[in-house]
Amino acid sequence: MQIAVIASSDSWYLHDLRRAAAGRHEIAAVAFRDLSASLGDPGPVITAGEVDLGSAAAVVVRTMPPGSLEQVVFRMDLLAQLEAAGMLVINPARSIEAAVDKYLASAKLAAAGLCVPETIVCQTVDAALAAFQRLGGDVVVKPLFGAEGRGITRLNDEALAERAFRLLVPLGAVLYLQRYVPHHGYDLRVLVLGEQMWGIRRRNALDWRTNVSRGATAEPLELESAVTEAARLAAEAIGAPLAGVDLLPGIDGRLYAIEVNAVPGWQALSRTLKVDVARHVLDFLAARVRAAGKSTS
């Protein structure tokens, strides 16, 4: 079957999917910037260069590049149109929108009954300083939109916190503060793919942030029932069949749901666990397409 993969041309994940698809599926690379649409008879046609996305069996989103509000809304509109037309889109636009918005994601995780760090989101310096005090004077400030630990700062000094807030507010930033959760020096990344799950433990001796992209080391994780249940609930709350769920075991004994990535990487997980995640993703897509009564030839 033909699978349209929205990714940059040099994406490791694009190449990994092509490797796993060799002889079985055709992978068509698509860039978000090349998406265009036309309306009229016989209906909307969505293309990217020579690729007609309507003719693909499935669309896989492997990137979420920054863009203007107009660009982002237009791109999500097109993904939603494809899904409404019966196309298998992994992940759906709604789940990507929810996951990329840290406030909305945290609200959905909390509503699902998961434990999330105490969070205050505000828009003024005075409100942020009051939140800083309420959260115990030790907070993690995150950009509302962001990934891989970029822009995340831990603040435990009031003067530095005020300086940071006064810098961010004129830039139009929404101030997203979470109480810092003391932990054991590692977090858990669970990759959810339908009913399948794999997990790694990520440690970073040099940074309190445990992103592998920031130098953390990964080791295999034996998934316990509490972890799998939390990962399942988190992925369902966001609505992402393919999700990277970040969980943090606190020293208070609670398991915190930190965030859900709806465009999750699997390079470190695949390498650590010796699992061909790309092949599992393709098998998952083929099974979903067959279940919908479409040909995978």
Side-chain angles (χ1 to χ4, degrees):
M1 66 180 181
Q2 185 187 59
I3 302 169
V5 178
I6 302 179
S8 61
S9 59
D10 60 351
S11 165
W12 181 90
Y13 299 98
L14 173 64
H15 295 305
D16 198 36
L17 288 166
R18 279 182 165 157
R19 173 199 57 77
R24 299 195 301 150
H25 307 294
E26 176 190 350
I27 302 294
V30 171
F32 261 126
R33 68 176 180 274
D34 293 332
L35 290 177
S36 62
S38 60
L39 301 174
D41 191 23
V45 176
I46 299 172
T47 59
E50 301 296 320
V51 180
D52 178 0
L53 273 70
S55 65
V59 173
V60 178
V61 182
R62 282 306 321 157
T63 186
M64 185 47 59
S68 68
L69 178 60
E70 285 188 352
Q71 289 173 321
V72 172
V73 169
F74 175 63
R75 293 164 183 174
M76 293 301 101
D77 285 347
L78 296 190
L79 293 180
Q81 272 190 305
L82 289 167
E83 190 179 8
M87 174 75 65
L88 174 61
V89 180
I90 301 296
N91 277 309
R94 284 183 178 273
S95 67
I96 294 173
E97 291 168 348
V100 78
D101 180 339
K102 285 187 173 62
Y103 170 72
L104 181 57
S106 293
K108 285 181 175 290
L109 294 175
L114 290 158
C115 178
V116 300
E118 187 178 354
T119 303
I120 298 176
V121 187
C122 53
Q123 301 179 71
T124 68
V125 173
D126 288 344
L129 286 171
F132 178 81
Q133 294 297 333
R134 178 176 161 185
L135 295 175
D138 192 355
V139 303
V140 176
V141 179
K142 303 178 180 180
L144 203 62
F145 306 132
E148 297 183 337
R150 291 189 293 270
I152 296 179
T153 303
R154 180 182 175 187
L155 297 172
N156 50 22
D157 179 276
E158 185 174 8
L160 290 178
E162 182 174 359
R163 288 177 61 185
F165 301 151
R166 292 195 181 281
L167 175 65
L168 292 169
V169 167
L171 299 176
V174 172
L175 302 173
Y176 178 100
L177 288 74
Q178 288 189 323
R179 183 188 295 272
Y180 176 75
V181 177
H183 54 83
H184 303 283
Y186 64 83
D187 74 351
L188 313 177
R189 161 55 70 96
V190 180
L191 184 69
V192 179
L193 177 62
E195 299 299 318
Q196 297 176 287
M197 293 186 195
W198 302 271
I200 54 176
R201 183 182 289 106
R202 305 182 298 189
R203 299 180 185 272
N204 195 339
L206 302 177
D207 196 322
W208 60 271
R209 291 165 293 190
T210 54
N211 307 81
V212 172
S213 61
R214 291 188 170 273
T217 59
E219 57 191 51
L221 173 67
E222 184 175 341
L223 293 174
E224 300 177 350
S225 58
V227 172
T228 58
E229 179 64 7
R232 181 187 64 81
L233 287 173
E236 288 180 354
I238 299 301
L242 173 60
V245 180
D246 292 340
L247 303 171
L248 181 66
I251 62 173
D252 58 5
R254 306 176 78 183
L255 183 63
Y256 292 86
I258 301 301
E259 65 180 58
V260 179
N261 191 327
V263 188
W266 63 72
Q267 187 173 10
L269 185 144
S270 186
R271 180 177 61 246
T272 302
L273 301 182
K274 304 298 188 291
V275 173
D276 191 344
V277 176
R279 187 174 185 89
H280 283 286
V281 169
L282 295 174
D283 290 345
F284 174 78
L285 295 173
R288 289 282 297 268
V289 169
R290 285 195 300 269
K294 296 182 180 180
S295 172
T296 60
S297 59

